[in-house]
Coordinates of all heavy atoms in Angstrom, one line a residue:
M1 N 60.6 115.1 37.6 CA 61.4 115.6 38.7 C 62.1 116.9 38.5 O 62.2 117.8 39.3 CB 62.4 114.5 39.1 CG 63.2 114.8 40.3 SD 62.1 114.8 41.8 CE 63.4 114.9 43.1
K2 N 62.6 117.1 37.2 CA 63.4 118.2 36.9 C 62.5 119.5 36.9 O 62.9 120.5 37.0 CB 64.0 118.0 35.6 CG 65.2 117.1 35.7 CD 65.9 117.0 34.4 CE 67.1 115.9 34.5 NZ 67.8 115.8 33.2
K3 N 61.2 119.3 36.7 CA 60.2 120.4 36.6 C 60.1 121.1 38.0 O 59.8 122.2 38.1 CB 58.8 120.0 36.1 CG 58.8 119.5 34.6 CD 57.5 119.1 34.1 CE 56.4 118.8 35.0 NZ 55.2 118.3 34.3
W4 N 60.3 120.3 39.0 CA 60.0 120.8 40.4 C 61.3 121.5 41.0 O 61.2 122.3 41.9 CB 59.7 119.7 41.3 CG 58.3 119.1 40.9 CD1 58.0 118.0 40.3 CD2 57.0 119.7 41.2 NE1 56.7 117.8 40.0 CE2 56.0 118.9 40.6 CE3 56.6 120.9 41.8 CZ2 54.7 119.2 40.7 CZ3 55.2 121.1 41.9 CH2 54.4 120.3 41.3
L5 N 62.4 121.2 40.3 CA 63.6 121.8 40.9 C 63.7 123.4 40.9 O 64.0 123.9 41.9 CB 64.9 121.2 40.2 CG 66.3 121.6 40.7 CD1 66.4 121.2 42.2 CD2 67.3 121.0 39.9
P6 N 63.4 124.0 39.8 CA 63.3 125.4 39.8 C 62.3 126.0 40.8 O 62.6 127.0 41.5 CB 63.0 125.8 38.3 CG 63.4 124.7 37.6 CD 63.1 123.5 38.4
A7 N 61.1 125.4 40.9 CA 60.2 125.9 41.8 C 60.7 125.7 43.3 O 60.5 126.6 44.1 CB 58.8 125.1 41.6
A8 N 61.3 124.6 43.5 CA 61.8 124.4 44.9 C 62.9 125.4 45.2 O 63.0 125.9 46.3 CB 62.3 122.9 45.0
L9 N 63.8 125.7 44.2 CA 64.9 126.7 44.5 C 64.3 128.0 44.7 O 64.8 128.8 45.5 CB 65.8 126.7 43.3 CG 66.7 125.4 43.1 CD1 67.6 125.5 41.9 CD2 67.6 125.2 44.4
I10 N 63.2 128.4 44.0 CA 62.6 129.7 44.2 C 61.9 129.8 45.6 O 62.1 130.8 46.3 CB 61.5 129.9 43.1 CG1 62.3 130.2 41.8 CG2 60.7 131.2 43.4 CD1 61.4 130.3 40.6
I11 N 61.3 128.7 46.0 CA 60.7 128.7 47.4 C 61.8 128.8 48.4 O 61.6 129.6 49.4 CB 59.9 127.4 47.5 CG1 58.7 127.4 46.6 CG2 59.5 127.2 49.0 CD1 57.8 126.2 46.5
V12 N 62.9 128.1 48.3 CA 63.9 128.2 49.2 C 64.6 129.6 49.3 O 64.7 130.1 50.4 CB 65.1 127.2 49.0 CG1 66.3 127.4 49.9 CG2 64.5 125.7 49.2
F13 N 64.7 130.2 48.1 CA 65.3 131.5 48.1 C 64.3 132.5 48.7 O 64.8 133.4 49.5 CB 65.5 131.9 46.6 CG 66.0 133.3 46.3 CD1 67.4 133.5 46.5 CD2 65.3 134.4 46.0 CE1 67.9 134.8 46.4 CE2 65.7 135.6 45.8 CZ 67.1 135.9 46.0
V14 N 63.0 132.5 48.4 CA 62.0 133.3 49.1 C 62.1 133.2 50.6 O 62.0 134.2 51.3 CB 60.7 133.1 48.5 CG1 59.6 133.8 49.3 CG2 60.6 133.5 47.0
I15 N 62.1 132.0 51.1 CA 62.2 131.7 52.5 C 63.4 132.4 53.1 O 63.3 133.0 54.1 CB 62.1 130.2 52.8 CG1 60.7 129.7 52.5 CG2 62.5 130.0 54.3 CD1 60.6 128.2 52.6
L16 N 64.5 132.2 52.4 CA 65.8 132.9 52.9 C 65.7 134.4 52.9 O 66.1 135.1 53.9 CB 67.0 132.4 52.1 CG 67.5 130.9 52.4 CD1 68.5 130.6 51.4 CD2 67.9 130.7 53.8
V17 N 65.1 135.0 51.9 CA 65.0 136.4 51.9 C 64.1 136.9 53.0 O 64.3 137.9 53.6 CB 64.4 136.8 50.5 CG1 64.0 138.3 50.5 CG2 65.5 136.6 49.4
I18 N 63.0 136.2 53.2 CA 61.9 136.7 54.2 C 62.6 136.5 55.7 O 62.1 137.4 56.5 CB 60.6 135.8 54.1 CG1 59.9 136.2 52.8 CG2 59.7 136.1 55.3 CD1 58.8 135.4 52.5
T19 N 63.4 135.6 55.9 CA 63.9 135.4 57.2 C 65.3 136.0 57.5 O 65.9 135.5 58.5 CB 63.9 133.8 57.5 OG1 64.8 133.2 56.5 CG2 62.6 133.2 57.4
V20 N 65.7 136.9 56.8 CA 66.9 137.6 57.2 C 66.7 138.5 58.4 O 65.8 139.3 58.4 CB 67.4 138.6 56.0 CG1 68.6 139.4 56.4 CG2 67.7 137.7 54.7
P21 N 67.5 138.2 59.5 CA 67.2 139.0 60.7 C 67.7 140.4 60.6 O 68.5 140.8 59.8 CB 68.1 138.2 61.8 CG 69.2 137.6 61.0 CD 68.5 137.3 59.7
S22 N 67.0 141.2 61.5 CA 67.3 142.7 61.4 C 68.5 143.1 62.2 O 69.1 142.2 63.0 CB 66.1 143.5 62.0 OG 66.0 143.2 63.4
T23 N 69.0 144.3 62.2 CA 70.0 144.7 63.0 C 69.7 144.8 64.4 O 70.5 144.5 65.3 CB 70.4 146.2 62.5 OG1 70.7 146.2 61.1 CG2 71.7 146.7 63.3
E24 N 68.5 145.0 64.8 CA 68.0 145.0 66.2 C 68.1 143.7 66.7 O 68.4 143.4 67.9 CB 66.6 145.6 66.3 CG 66.5 147.0 66.1 CD 66.5 147.5 64.6 OE1 66.2 146.6 63.8 OE2 66.8 148.6 64.3
D25 N 67.8 142.6 65.8 CA 67.9 141.2 66.3 C 69.5 140.9 66.6 O 69.7 140.2 67.5 CB 67.5 140.3 65.2 CG 66.0 140.3 65.0 OD1 65.2 140.8 65.9 OD2 65.5 140.0 63.9
Y26 N 70.4 141.5 65.9 CA 71.7 141.4 66.2 C 72.1 141.9 67.5 O 72.9 141.3 68.3 CB 72.6 142.0 65.0 CG 74.1 141.9 65.4 CD1 74.8 140.8 65.4 CD2 74.7 143.1 65.7 CE1 76.1 140.7 65.7 CE2 76.1 143.2 66.1 CZ 76.8 141.9 66.1 OH 78.1 141.9 66.4
H27 N 71.6 143.1 67.8 CA 71.9 143.7 69.1 C 71.4 142.8 70.3 O 72.2 142.6 71.2 CB 71.2 145.1 69.2 CG 71.8 146.1 68.2 ND1 71.1 147.2 67.8 CD2 72.9 146.1 67.4 CE1 71.7 147.8 66.9 NE2 72.8 147.2 66.7
E28 N 70.2 142.3 70.1 CA 69.6 141.4 71.2 C 70.5 140.1 71.3 O 70.8 139.6 72.3 CB 68.2 141.1 70.8 CG 67.2 142.2 71.1 CD 67.3 142.6 72.6 OE1 67.3 141.7 73.5 OE2 67.3 143.8 72.8
A29 N 70.9 139.5 70.1 CA 71.7 138.3 70.1 C 73.0 138.5 70.8 O 73.5 137.7 71.5 CB 71.9 137.8 68.6
L30 N 73.7 139.7 70.6 CA 74.9 140.0 71.1 C 74.8 140.2 72.6 O 75.7 139.7 73.4 CB 75.6 141.3 70.5 CG 77.0 141.6 70.9 CD1 77.9 140.4 70.8 CD2 77.5 142.8 70.1
K31 N 73.8 140.9 73.1 CA 73.6 141.0 74.5 C 73.4 139.7 75.2 O 73.9 139.5 76.2 CB 72.3 142.0 74.7 CG 72.7 143.5 74.4 CD 71.6 144.4 74.7 CE 70.3 144.0 75.1 NZ 69.2 145.2 75.3
N32 N 72.6 138.9 74.5 CA 72.3 137.5 75.1 C 73.6 136.7 75.2 O 73.9 136.0 76.1 CB 71.3 136.8 74.3 CG 69.9 137.4 74.5 OD1 69.7 138.0 75.5 ND2 69.0 137.2 73.6
K33 N 74.5 136.9 74.1 CA 75.8 136.1 74.0 C 76.7 136.6 75.2 O 77.3 135.9 75.8 CB 76.5 136.3 72.8 CG 77.8 135.7 72.6 CD 78.4 135.9 71.3 CE 79.8 135.4 71.2 NZ 80.0 134.0 71.4
I34 N 76.7 137.9 75.4 CA 77.5 138.5 76.5 C 77.1 138.0 77.9 O 77.9 137.5 78.7 CB 77.5 140.0 76.5 CG1 78.3 140.6 75.2 CG2 78.1 140.6 77.7 CD1 78.0 142.0 75.0
K35 N 75.8 138.0 78.1 CA 75.3 137.5 79.3 C 75.6 136.0 79.5 O 75.9 135.6 80.6 CB 73.7 137.7 79.4 CG 73.3 139.2 79.6 CD 71.8 139.4 79.5 CE 71.4 140.8 79.6 NZ 70.0 140.9 79.7
K36 N 75.4 135.2 78.4 CA 75.6 133.8 78.6 C 77.2 133.5 78.9 O 77.4 132.7 79.6 CB 75.2 133.1 77.3 CG 75.3 131.6 77.3 CD 74.9 131.0 76.0 CE 75.0 129.5 76.0 NZ 74.7 128.9 74.8
E37 N 78.0 134.2 78.2 CA 79.4 134.0 78.4 C 79.9 134.4 79.7 O 81.0 133.9 80.2 CB 80.3 134.6 77.3 CG 80.2 133.9 75.9 CD 81.1 134.3 75.0 OE1 81.9 135.2 75.2 OE2 81.1 133.8 73.8
T38 N 79.2 135.3 80.4 CA 79.7 135.6 81.7 C 78.9 135.0 82.8 O 78.8 135.3 83.9 CB 79.4 137.2 81.9 OG1 78.1 137.5 81.7 CG2 80.3 138.0 81.0
E39 N 78.2 133.8 82.3 CA 77.4 133.0 83.2 C 76.3 133.7 84.0 O 76.1 133.5 85.2 CB 78.4 132.2 84.2 CG 79.3 131.4 83.4 CD 80.4 130.7 84.3 OE1 80.5 131.1 85.5 OE2 81.2 129.9 83.8
N40 N 75.7 134.6 83.4 CA 74.6 135.4 84.0 C 75.0 136.1 85.3 O 74.2 136.2 86.2 CB 73.4 134.5 84.1 CG 72.6 134.3 82.9 OD1 72.7 135.2 82.0 ND2 72.2 133.0 82.7
N41 N 76.2 136.7 85.4 CA 76.6 137.5 86.4 C 75.7 138.6 86.6 O 75.4 139.4 85.6 CB 78.0 137.9 86.3 CG 78.5 138.8 87.4 OD1 77.9 139.7 87.9 ND2 79.8 138.4 87.9
I42 N 75.1 138.9 87.8 CA 74.1 139.9 88.0 C 74.6 141.2 87.7 O 73.9 142.1 87.1 CB 73.6 139.8 89.5 CG1 72.4 140.7 89.6 CG2 74.7 140.2 90.5 CD1 71.6 140.5 90.9
W43 N 75.9 141.5 88.0 CA 76.5 142.9 87.6 C 76.6 143.0 86.1 O 76.4 144.2 85.6 CB 77.8 143.2 88.4 CG 77.6 143.1 89.9 CD1 78.0 142.2 90.8 CD2 76.8 144.1 90.7 NE1 77.6 142.4 92.0 CE2 76.9 143.6 92.0 CE3 76.1 145.2 90.4 CZ2 76.2 144.3 93.1 CZ3 75.4 145.9 91.4 CH2 75.5 145.5 92.7
V44 N 77.1 142.1 85.5 CA 77.3 142.1 84.0 C 75.9 142.3 83.4 O 75.7 143.1 82.5 CB 78.0 140.9 83.5 CG1 78.0 140.9 82.0 CG2 79.4 140.8 84.1
N45 N 74.9 141.5 83.9 CA 73.5 141.6 83.3 C 73.0 143.1 83.5 O 72.4 143.6 82.6 CB 72.6 140.7 84.0 CG 72.8 139.2 83.6 OD1 73.6 138.9 82.6 ND2 72.2 138.3 84.2
L46 N 73.2 143.6 84.6 CA 72.8 145.0 84.9 C 73.5 146.0 84.0 O 72.8 146.9 83.4 CB 73.0 145.4 86.4 CG 72.5 146.8 86.8 CD1 71.0 146.9 86.7 CD2 73.0 147.1 88.2
G47 N 74.7 145.9 83.8 CA 75.5 146.7 82.9 C 75.1 146.6 81.4 O 74.9 147.6 80.7
V48 N 74.9 145.3 81.0 CA 74.4 145.1 79.6 C 73.0 145.7 79.4 O 72.7 146.3 78.4 CB 74.4 143.6 79.4 CG1 73.7 143.3 78.0 CG2 75.9 143.1 79.3
D49 N 72.1 145.5 80.4 CA 70.8 146.1 80.3 C 70.8 147.6 80.3 O 70.0 148.2 79.5 CB 69.9 145.5 81.4 CG 69.5 144.0 81.3 OD1 69.6 143.5 80.1 OD2 69.2 143.4 82.3
L50 N 71.6 148.2 81.0 CA 71.6 149.7 81.2 C 72.4 150.3 80.0 O 71.9 151.3 79.4 CB 72.2 150.1 82.5 CG 71.4 149.8 83.7 CD1 72.2 150.2 84.9 CD2 70.0 150.5 83.6
L51 N 73.6 149.8 79.7 CA 74.5 150.5 78.7 C 74.7 149.7 77.5 O 75.3 150.2 76.5 CB 75.8 150.8 79.4 CG 75.8 151.6 80.6 CD1 77.1 151.7 81.3 CD2 75.3 153.0 80.3
G52 N 74.4 148.4 77.4 CA 74.6 147.5 76.3 C 74.2 148.0 75.0 O 74.8 148.0 74.0
E53 N 72.9 148.4 74.9 CA 72.3 148.8 73.7 C 73.1 150.0 73.0 O 73.3 149.9 71.8 CB 70.8 149.2 73.9 CG 70.1 149.4 72.6 CD 69.7 148.1 71.9 OE1 69.6 147.1 72.6 OE2 69.6 148.1 70.6
K54 N 73.4 151.0 73.7 CA 74.1 152.1 73.2 C 75.5 151.7 72.7 O 75.9 152.2 71.7 CB 74.0 153.3 74.2 CG 74.7 154.6 73.7 CD 74.6 155.7 74.6 CE 75.1 157.0 73.9 NZ 75.0 158.1 74.8
L55 N 76.2 151.0 73.6 CA 77.5 150.6 73.2 C 77.6 149.7 72.0 O 78.5 149.9 71.2 CB 78.2 149.9 74.4 CG 78.6 150.8 75.6 CD1 79.1 149.9 76.7 CD2 79.7 151.8 75.2
I56 N 76.6 148.8 72.0 CA 76.6 147.9 70.8 C 76.3 148.6 69.5 O 76.8 148.4 68.5 CB 75.6 146.7 71.1 CG1 76.1 145.8 72.1 CG2 75.3 146.0 69.9 CD1 75.1 144.8 72.7
K57 N 75.3 149.6 69.6 CA 75.0 150.4 68.4 C 76.1 151.2 67.9 O 76.3 151.3 66.7 CB 73.8 151.3 68.7 CG 72.5 150.6 68.8 CD 71.3 151.6 68.9 CE 70.0 151.0 69.0 NZ 68.9 151.9 69.2
T58 N 76.9 151.8 68.8 CA 78.0 152.7 68.4 C 79.3 151.8 67.9 O 80.1 152.3 67.2 CB 78.4 153.6 69.5 OG1 78.9 152.8 70.6 CG2 77.3 154.5 69.9
T59 N 79.4 150.7 68.3 CA 80.6 149.8 67.9 C 80.4 148.8 66.9 O 81.2 148.1 66.4 CB 81.3 149.2 69.1 OG1 80.3 148.3 69.7 CG2 81.7 150.2 70.1
S60 N 79.0 148.7 66.4 CA 78.7 147.6 65.5 C 78.4 148.2 64.1 O 77.9 149.3 63.9 CB 77.4 146.9 66.0 OG 77.7 146.2 67.2
S61 N 78.6 147.3 63.1 CA 78.3 147.7 61.7 C 77.8 146.3 61.0 O 78.3 145.3 61.3 CB 79.5 148.2 60.9 OG 80.5 147.2 60.8
C62 N 76.6 146.5 60.3 CA 76.1 145.4 59.6 C 76.0 145.6 58.1 O 75.7 146.8 57.7 CB 74.7 145.2 60.2 SG 74.7 144.5 61.9
D63 N 76.2 144.6 57.4 CA 76.0 144.7 55.8 C 75.0 143.7 55.5 O 75.0 142.5 55.9 CB 77.3 144.3 55.1 CG 78.5 145.3 55.5 OD1 78.1 146.5 55.4 OD2 79.6 144.9 55.7
S64 N 74.0 144.2 54.7 CA 72.9 143.3 54.3 C 73.1 142.9 52.9 O 73.3 143.7 52.0 CB 71.5 144.1 54.4 OG 70.5 143.3 54.2
Y65 N 72.9 141.5 52.8 CA 73.0 140.9 51.4 C 71.6 140.4 51.2 O 70.8 140.5 52.0 CB 74.1 139.9 51.3 CG 75.4 140.5 51.7 CD1 76.0 140.3 52.8 CD2 76.1 141.2 50.7 CE1 77.3 140.9 53.1 CE2 77.3 141.8 50.9 CZ 77.9 141.6 52.1 OH 79.1 142.2 52.4
V66 N 71.3 139.8 50.1 CA 70.0 139.4 49.7 C 69.4 138.3 50.7 O 68.3 138.5 51.2 CB 69.9 138.8 48.3 CG1 68.5 138.3 48.0 CG2 70.3 139.8 47.3
V67 N 70.2 137.3 51.0 CA 69.7 136.2 52.0 C 70.4 136.2 53.3 O 70.0 135.4 54.1 CB 69.8 134.9 51.1 CG1 68.9 134.9 49.9 CG2 71.2 134.5 50.8
V68 N 71.4 137.0 53.5 CA 72.1 137.0 54.8 C 72.4 138.4 55.2 O 72.5 139.3 54.4 CB 73.4 136.1 54.8 CG1 73.1 134.7 54.4 CG2 74.5 136.7 53.8
R69 N 72.8 138.6 56.5 CA 73.3 139.8 57.0 C 74.5 139.5 57.8 O 74.5 138.6 58.7 CB 72.2 140.5 57.9 CG 72.7 141.9 58.5 CD 71.6 142.5 59.3 NE 70.2 142.5 58.8 CZ 69.8 143.5 58.0 NH1 70.5 144.6 57.9 NH2 68.6 143.5 57.5
T70 N 75.6 140.3 57.5 CA 76.8 140.1 58.3 C 77.0 141.3 59.2 O 76.7 142.3 58.8 CB 78.1 139.9 57.4 OG1 78.2 141.1 56.6 CG2 77.9 138.6 56.5
C71 N 77.4 141.0 60.4 CA 77.6 142.0 61.4 C 78.9 141.9 62.1 O 79.4 140.8 62.3 CB 76.5 142.1 62.4 SG 74.9 142.5 61.8
E72 N 79.5 143.0 62.5 CA 80.8 143.0 63.1 C 80.8 144.0 64.2 O 80.3 145.2 64.1 CB 81.9 143.3 62.2 CG 83.3 143.3 62.7 CD 84.3 143.7 61.6 OE1 84.8 142.7 61.0 OE2 84.7 144.9 61.5
T73 N 81.2 143.6 65.4 CA 81.4 144.6 66.5 C 82.8 144.7 67.0 O 83.4 143.7 67.2 CB 80.5 144.1 67.8 OG1 79.1 144.0 67.3 CG2 80.7 145.0 68.9
K74 N 83.4 145.9 66.9 CA 84.7 146.1 67.2 C 84.9 146.4 68.7 O 84.5 147.5 69.2 CB 85.2 147.3 66.4 CG 86.7 147.6 66.5 CD 87.2 148.7 65.6 CE 88.6 148.9 65.8 NZ 89.0 150.1 65.0
V75 N 85.4 145.5 69.4 CA 85.6 145.5 70.8 C 86.9 146.4 71.0 O 87.0 147.3 71.9 CB 85.7 144.2 71.5 CG1 85.9 144.3 73.0 CG2 84.4 143.4 71.2
T76 N 88.0 145.9 70.5 CA 89.3 146.6 70.5 C 89.8 146.6 69.1 O 89.2 146.0 68.2 CB 90.3 146.0 71.5 OG1 90.6 144.6 70.9 CG2 89.8 145.9 72.8
D77 N 91.0 147.2 68.9 CA 91.6 147.2 67.6 C 92.0 145.8 67.2 O 91.9 145.5 65.9 CB 92.9 148.1 67.6 CG 92.6 149.6 67.7 OD1 91.5 149.9 67.3 OD2 93.4 150.3 68.2
L78 N 92.2 144.9 68.0 CA 92.6 143.6 67.7 C 91.4 142.5 67.8 O 91.5 141.5 67.2 CB 93.7 143.1 68.5 CG 95.1 143.9 68.4 CD1 96.1 143.4 69.4 CD2 95.6 143.9 67.0
Y79 N 90.5 142.9 68.6 CA 89.4 141.9 68.8 C 88.0 142.4 68.2 O 87.6 143.4 68.6 CB 89.3 141.7 70.3 CG 88.3 140.6 70.7 CD1 88.5 139.2 70.4 CD2 87.2 140.9 71.4 CE1 87.6 138.3 70.7 CE2 86.2 139.9 71.7 CZ 86.5 138.6 71.4 OH 85.6 137.6 71.7
K80 N 87.6 141.6 67.4 CA 86.2 141.9 66.8 C 85.3 140.7 66.9 O 85.8 139.6 66.6 CB 86.4 142.3 65.3 CG 87.2 143.5 65.1 CD 87.5 143.8 63.7 CE 88.4 145.0 63.5 NZ 88.7 145.2 62.1
L81 N 84.0 140.9 67.1 CA 83.1 139.9 67.1 C 82.3 139.9 65.8 O 81.8 141.0 65.3 CB 82.0 140.1 68.3 CG 82.5 139.9 69.7 CD1 81.4 140.4 70.6 CD2 82.8 138.4 69.9
K82 N 82.4 138.7 65.1 CA 81.7 138.7 63.8 C 80.6 137.7 63.8 O 80.7 136.7 64.5 CB 82.8 138.4 62.7 CG 83.9 139.3 62.5 CD 84.8 138.9 61.5 CE 86.0 139.8 61.3 NZ 86.9 139.4 60.3
S83 N 79.6 138.0 63.0 CA 78.5 137.0 62.9 C 77.7 137.1 61.6 O 77.9 138.1 60.8 CB 77.4 137.3 64.0 OG 76.7 138.5 63.8
I84 N 77.1 136.1 61.3 CA 76.2 136.0 60.0 C 74.9 135.6 60.5 O 74.6 134.8 61.3 CB 76.8 134.9 59.0 CG1 76.1 135.1 57.7 CG2 76.9 133.6 59.6 CD1 76.8 134.3 56.6
G85 N 73.9 136.3 59.8 CA 72.5 136.2 60.2 C 71.7 135.6 59.0 O 71.8 136.1 57.9
F86 N 71.0 134.5 59.3 CA 70.0 134.0 58.3 C 69.0 133.1 59.1 O 69.3 132.7 60.2 CB 70.8 133.2 57.2 CG 71.5 132.0 57.7 CD1 70.9 130.7 57.6 CD2 72.8 132.1 58.2 CE1 71.7 129.7 58.1 CE2 73.5 131.1 58.6 CZ 73.0 129.8 58.6
L87 N 67.9 132.9 58.4 CA 66.8 132.1 59.1 C 66.5 132.6 60.4 O 66.3 131.9 61.4 CB 67.2 130.6 59.1 CG 67.4 129.9 57.8 CD1 67.9 128.5 58.0 CD2 66.1 129.9 56.9
N88 N 66.4 133.9 60.6 CA 66.0 134.7 61.9 C 67.0 134.3 63.1 O 66.5 134.3 64.2 CB 64.6 134.3 62.3 CG 63.6 135.0 61.4 OD1 63.9 136.1 60.9 ND2 62.5 134.4 61.2
Q89 N 68.3 134.1 62.8 CA 69.2 133.8 63.9 C 70.5 134.2 63.5 O 70.8 134.5 62.3 CB 69.2 132.3 64.3 CG 69.7 131.5 63.3 CD 69.7 130.0 63.7 OE1 69.4 129.7 64.8 NE2 70.0 129.1 62.9
Y90 N 71.4 134.5 64.4 CA 72.8 135.0 64.2 C 73.7 133.9 64.8 O 73.5 133.3 65.8 CB 73.1 136.3 64.9 CG 72.6 137.5 64.1 CD1 71.4 138.1 64.4 CD2 73.4 137.9 63.1 CE1 70.9 139.1 63.6 CE2 73.0 139.0 62.3 CZ 71.7 139.6 62.6 OH 71.3 140.7 61.9
I91 N 74.7 133.6 63.9 CA 75.8 132.7 64.3 C 77.1 133.5 64.4 O 77.5 134.1 63.4 CB 75.9 131.4 63.3 CG1 74.6 130.7 63.2 CG2 77.1 130.6 63.6 CD1 74.5 129.7 62.1
F92 N 77.7 133.4 65.6 CA 78.9 134.1 65.8 C 80.1 133.2 65.5 O 80.1 132.0 65.8 CB 79.1 134.5 67.3 CG 78.0 135.6 67.6 CD1 76.7 135.2 68.1 CD2 78.4 136.9 67.5 CE1 75.8 136.2 68.4 CE2 77.4 137.9 67.8 CZ 76.2 137.6 68.3
Y93 N 81.1 133.8 64.8 CA 82.3 133.1 64.5 C 83.5 133.9 64.7 O 83.5 135.0 65.0 CB 82.3 132.6 63.0 CG 82.2 133.8 62.0 CD1 83.3 134.2 61.4 CD2 80.9 134.3 61.6 CE1 83.2 135.3 60.5 CE2 80.9 135.2 60.7 CZ 82.1 135.8 60.1 OH 81.9 136.8 59.2

């Protein structure tokens, strides 16, 4: 049993490295989060579709680590959206 543990850990590590989401994935996840939280308001959806990508790109910063990516979007000086990405998804906290 102990012979398989290092191999299993290496396989899990490789899977985590391969499935780190990109910065573009973060932009899409944030746009979807905004749309969902505003209950798919047609005007908000239109605004996010037209201007969201540029605003998100200019106010977001991401740091990439080996198995995760952390991203932060500064909405105001006091309010920031933070997320961690792994396994091809982002979790906002």
Side-chain angles (χ1 to χ4, degrees):
M1 183 68 171
K2 291 184 181 181
K3 293 185 336 186
W4 295 101
L5 185 61
L9 290 175
I10 289 172
I11 291 171
V12 169
F13 181 76
V14 168
I15 290 171
L16 288 173
V17 168
I18 291 172
T19 60
V20 173
S22 67
T23 304
E24 289 78 24
D25 293 335
Y26 172 71
H27 297 159
E28 285 299 316
L30 185 55
K31 286 184 351 186
N32 290 335
K33 179 179 174 55
I34 292 168
K35 288 178 181 180
K36 183 179 177 184
E37 286 189 2
T38 58
E39 299 174 352
N40 286 321
N41 182 308
I42 191 165
W43 298 111
V44 173
N45 286 350
L46 182 63
V48 168
D49 289 337
L50 292 176
L51 301 173
E53 189 73 29
K54 185 173 182 173
L55 289 173
I56 290 171
K57 281 183 180 180
T58 58
T59 59
S60 298
S61 63
C62 293
D63 295 318
S64 183
Y65 301 101
V66 177
V67 295
V68 297
R69 182 181 310 267
T70 60
C71 294
E72 178 179 276
T73 300
K74 185 176 178 181
V75 179
T76 66
D77 289 335
L78 299 175
Y79 185 66
K80 298 176 184 174
L81 292 168
K82 296 180 181 180
S83 69
I84 185 167
F86 61 97
L87 296 175
N88 286 331
Q89 64 181 354
Y90 278 97
I91 298 172
F92 291 89
Y93 60 94

